[in-house]
């Protein structure tokens, strides 16, 4: 068995599933062949492996085998490839027996977009459009997270706030620039939103957001808060997926019933979903904001140069942005014919803008298709198309055509979907094989277009990779419609074979419908973290100080600041070094020093706030920092290091 991947970081899932829950009754001899034009760096697994053996001098191909006893659960391989930031193109030949022009019949181009995007320099103006979508039923719980989020935004960005269930539009008709006046107005408006609550309508709010123009040169990122499951979940997931190339979602759910939707929204846009509680929500949303503030390549476009008679069709479109650390995989088909494909070559040109500079990556690739006949790339493309064809808005809007197209792709590629299934029956003793859930036959052994689900074992999984459950659109509906069909199918097989069954063949109960599940641990990670009561205390202590910070990162010397520092305002003014000409400079040093005391108790809450403040201080007179820090340590009884201020 072998596996080929074209990404930087891929997981090879090789399932050795026994329907029994006891001791394994087999041995497994397995070798995985790995190939990448960028080279294979390392392989890890949740079991023992033999040393990695390179079969090419440039380390572009390698092999690794299973060592010792196989696990009694899913076997998972984690493959690391070289050149973590790269743009690559690989052409895979089509199936010679498939129809020309079909998904499997034409050659496929697998494109990896992972350009090198450097970290932003301190003080560098950051762009971006940040839209915060709040559930009106949890508005009270979202006040503090929203305060920390808004205060942590960088100068130069745009923002807006929507409360679905309160109003069909945002605080502003469209996103506005992040300024002190706009922020003050937004905080006042959000506090009065609770008096205008209505029915929750996340779908309508998202459609309103997507219909508003995006500020030029600013990548759109959504922060969605859900306290309960909104209606029309399938339509919501479809709406987000329809705009997946133009934005990214970070979703936060306060209840278990909204976990599936939150996961789907983040998964479709390559964002992140977090299950939060009242004591960890601020830290979690700030972690996501820190990720969202990383540099982004904007205005992404692809150009193709091919010989006459050939054209490229990108399946699913090209994203408008590439975020730092993001690895985008695109699938494209080459249509048409060239006289001499062995000698022909093509050129793909990637254009994007980074920090105001135009960047171009030009890659020449041979059109002579590669591959060993397993068509791994074509199967990935088939899965990608199936996900799009099963969206509710696609299914409802085009009659039976999407379903028939999904069945066609599923049967030809051997990839399961809600309209197809493989049913395994053991007939060696002419008796049904009921040792837990039905086993799967290998692809192409049975093609049955029907609404029957994938049956998987109920073994307890232990893994070195996080897992979550993703329910694709129409999945729950298909489960309900399949209950009767599965019962009739299993009973019918049992009755059919019982007449000729051997006496020693034991009768086993049919599989339970509750063993049905669809687990896709390769696509998304649901994360959560639990904090102690000290976090609530820290939030309460620094909330007032955070509220006083200006959008540029500075603090104003005022009675409010003196109250937070628990020092008389007159004493603060009297202790200000004589060289300081700007009171805000002294006030900002005091605020940062206060936040840095007590072993960085507030670091997770105020890391972004402190970075803004230090950047603002360094843009002023750095020579004043030493004396100001010494005076502030004396006034507050602290011992903050000068390294905090980049000294």
């Amino acid at each position: 068995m072998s596996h080929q991947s074209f990404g930087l970081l891929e997981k090879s899932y090789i399932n050795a599933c026994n329907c029994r829950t006891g001791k394994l009754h087999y041995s497994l001899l397995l070798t995985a062949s790995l190939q990448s034009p960028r080279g294979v760096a390392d392989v890890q697994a949740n079991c023992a492996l033999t040393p990695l053996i390179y079969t090419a001098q440039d380390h572009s191909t390698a092999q690794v085998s299973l060592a010792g006893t196989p696990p009694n659960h899913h076997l998972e391989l984690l493959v690391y490839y070289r050149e973590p930031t790269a743009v690559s193109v690989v052409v895979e030949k089509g199936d010679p027996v498939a129809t020309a022009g079909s998904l499997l019949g034409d050659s496929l181009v697998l494109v990896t977009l992972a350009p090198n995007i450097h970290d932003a320099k301190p003080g560098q103006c950051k762009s971006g459009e940040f839209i915060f979508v709040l559930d009106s039923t949890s508005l009270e719980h979202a006040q503090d997270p929203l305060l920390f989020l808004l205060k942590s935004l960088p100068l130069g960005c745009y923002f807006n706030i929507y409360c679905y269930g309160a109003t069909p539009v945002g605080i502003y008709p469209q996103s506005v620039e992040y300024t002190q006046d706009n922020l003050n107005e937004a905080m006042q408006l959000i506090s009065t939103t609770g008096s205008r609550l209505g029915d929750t309508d996340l779908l309508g709010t998202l459609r309103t957001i997507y219909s508003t123009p995006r500020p030029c040169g600013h990548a759109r990122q959504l922060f969605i808060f859900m306290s309960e499951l909104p209606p029309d979940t399938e339509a919501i997931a479809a709406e987000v997926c329809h705009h997946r190339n133009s934005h990214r979602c970070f979703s936060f759910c306060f209840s278990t019933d909204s976990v599936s939707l939150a996961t789907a929204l983040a998964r479709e846009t390559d964002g992140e979903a977090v299950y939060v509680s009242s004591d960890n929500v601020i830290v979690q949303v700030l972690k996501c904001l820190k990720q969202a503030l990383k540099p982004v390549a904007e205005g992404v476009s692809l150009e193709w140069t091919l010989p006459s008679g050939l054209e490229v069709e990108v399946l699913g479109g090209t994203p408008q942005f590439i975020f730092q650390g993001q690895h985008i995989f695109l699938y494209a088909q080459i249509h048409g014919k060239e006289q001499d494909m062995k000698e022909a070559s093509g050129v793909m040109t990637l254009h994007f803008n980074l920090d105001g500079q135009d960047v171009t990556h030009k890659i020449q690739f041979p059109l002579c298709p590669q591959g060993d006949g397993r068509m791994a790339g074509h199967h990935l493309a088939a899965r990608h198309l199936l996900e799009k064809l099963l969206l509710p808005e696609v299914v409802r809007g085009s009659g039976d055509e999407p379903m028939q197209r999904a069945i066609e792709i599923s049967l030809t590629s051997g990839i399961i979907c809600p309209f197809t299934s493989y049913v395994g029956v053991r007939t060696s003793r002419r008796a049904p094989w009921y040792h837990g859930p039905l086993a799967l036959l290998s692809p192409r052994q049975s093609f049955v277009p029907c609404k029957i689900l994938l049956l998987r074992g109920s073994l307890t999984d232990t893994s070195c990779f996080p897992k979550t459950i993703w329910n694709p659109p129409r999945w729950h509906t298909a489960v309900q419609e399949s209950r009767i069909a599965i019962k009739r199918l299993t009973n019918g097989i049992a009755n059919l074979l019982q007449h000729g069954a051997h006496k020693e063949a034991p009768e086993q109960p049919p599989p339970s419908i509750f063993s049905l599940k669809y687990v896709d641990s390769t696509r998304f990670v649901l994360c959560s973290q639990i904090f102690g009561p000290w976090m609530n205390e820290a939030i309460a202590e620094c909330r007032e100080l955070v509220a006083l910070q200006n959008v540029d990162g500075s603090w104003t010397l005022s009675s409010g600041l003196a109250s937070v520092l628990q020092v008389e305002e007159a004493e603060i003014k009297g202790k200000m070094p004589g060289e300081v000409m700007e009171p805000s400079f002294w006030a900002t040093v005091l605020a940062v020093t206060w936040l840095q005391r007590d072993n960085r108790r507030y670091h997770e809450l105020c890391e972004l706030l402190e970075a803004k403040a230090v950047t603002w201080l360094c843009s002023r007179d750095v020579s004043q920092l030493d004396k100001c820090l010494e005076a502030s340590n004396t006034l507050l009884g602290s011992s903050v290091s000068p390294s905090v201020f980049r000294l």
Side-chain angles (χ1 to χ4, degrees), residues 268-560:
E268 288 298 334
T269 59
D270 203 19
E272 188 169 335
V274 185
Y275 180 78
V276 296
S277 60
S278 58
D279 63 343
N280 74 344
V281 57
I282 295 180
V283 173
Q284 294 294 350
V285 298
L286 290 177
K287 284 182 178 179
C288 290
L289 179 61
K290 188 177 180 180
Q291 179 180 345
L293 290 176
K294 293 181 178 180
V296 55
E298 305 166 358
V300 178
S301 65
L302 293 178
E303 292 182 5
W304 301 85
T305 303
L306 298 175
S308 177
L310 298 179
E311 62 178 5
V312 171
E313 177 191 2
V314 179
L315 306 179
T318 304
Q320 300 177 15
F321 310 100
I322 302 177
F323 297 94
Q324 186 188 54
Q326 189 178 27
H327 297 81
I328 297 176
F329 308 105
L330 301 180
Y331 312 99
Q333 281 193 287
I334 300 179
H335 301 300
K337 285 189 176 182
E338 164 67 17
Q339 296 295 330
D340 189 4
M341 292 291 287
K342 292 184 178 180
E343 300 295 333
S345 63
V347 176
M348 185 200 75
T349 306
L350 169 66
H351 299 280
F352 60 85
N353 184 279
L354 183 62
D355 297 333
Q357 297 183 354
D358 293 329
V359 181
T360 299
H361 287 270
K362 184 173 292 187
I363 299 178
Q364 185 173 3
F365 57 93
L367 289 176
C368 180
Q370 304 176 15
D372 54 6
R374 293 180 299 110
M375 303 185 68
H378 284 77
H379 286 92
L380 290 173
R383 182 183 294 274
H384 175 77
L385 286 179
L386 282 174
E387 292 178 352
K388 304 300 172 286
L389 287 170
L390 296 175
L391 292 174
E393 64 176 8
V394 175
V395 175
R396 286 195 294 262
S398 305
D400 293 335
E401 183 178 351
M403 184 181 71
Q404 296 299 329
R405 175 64 173 154
I407 291 175
E408 176 188 355
I409 294 176
S410 178
L411 297 186
T412 55
S413 64
I415 296 176
I416 201 72
C417 81
F419 306 117
T420 58
S421 180
Y422 304 115
V423 179
V425 179
R426 181 181 181 183
T427 58
S428 60
R429 292 188 297 180
R430 301 184 63 188
W433 188 24
Y434 290 136
H435 296 295
L438 292 176
L440 293 180
L441 295 176
S442 61
R444 301 181 182 274
Q445 283 188 261
S446 176
F447 297 141
V448 185
C450 56
K451 289 187 178 180
I452 298 178
L453 303 182
L454 168 63
L455 305 179
R456 303 194 73 167
S458 57
L459 298 176
T460 302
D461 290 335
T462 59
S463 170
C464 57
F465 307 114
K467 286 188 172 69
T468 186
I469 295 177
W470 154 242
N471 297 314
R474 297 178 61 88
W475 192 259
H476 292 298
T477 303
V479 170
Q480 296 173 357
E481 294 177 353
S482 300
R483 289 178 183 269
I484 297 177
I486 291 179
K487 184 177 181 180
R488 289 177 179 175
L489 175 66
T490 54
N491 290 340
I493 294 174
N495 293 332
L496 177 64
L497 299 177
Q498 187 175 7
H499 298 291
H502 291 195
K503 292 181 180 180
E504 66 271 16
E507 287 192 29
Q508 299 289 344
S512 169
I513 189 66
F514 297 104
S515 65
L516 302 178
K517 64 178 181 178
Y518 181 95
V519 179
D520 190 348
S521 60
T522 67
R523 296 298 305 273
F524 193 71
V525 177
L526 183 70
C527 62
S528 181
Q529 190 173 356
I530 300 176
F531 297 90
W534 66 267
M535 182 57 68
N536 289 329
E537 298 176 1
I539 293 172
E541 291 175 0
C542 67
R543 181 190 295 112
E544 293 184 23
L545 183 63
V546 170
L548 293 173
Q549 189 183 34
N550 301 317
V551 295
D552 60 3
S554 67
W555 272 269
T556 303
L557 186 55
S558 63
S559 58

Side-chain angles (χ1 to χ4, degrees), residues 27-50:
S27 61
L28 179 62
L29 178 62
L30 181 146
T31 297
S33 298
L34 310 167
Q35 180 178 353
S36 171
R38 289 176 287 162
V40 180
D42 190 19
V43 178
Q44 296 180 4
N46 58 342
C47 62
L49 296 175
T50 61

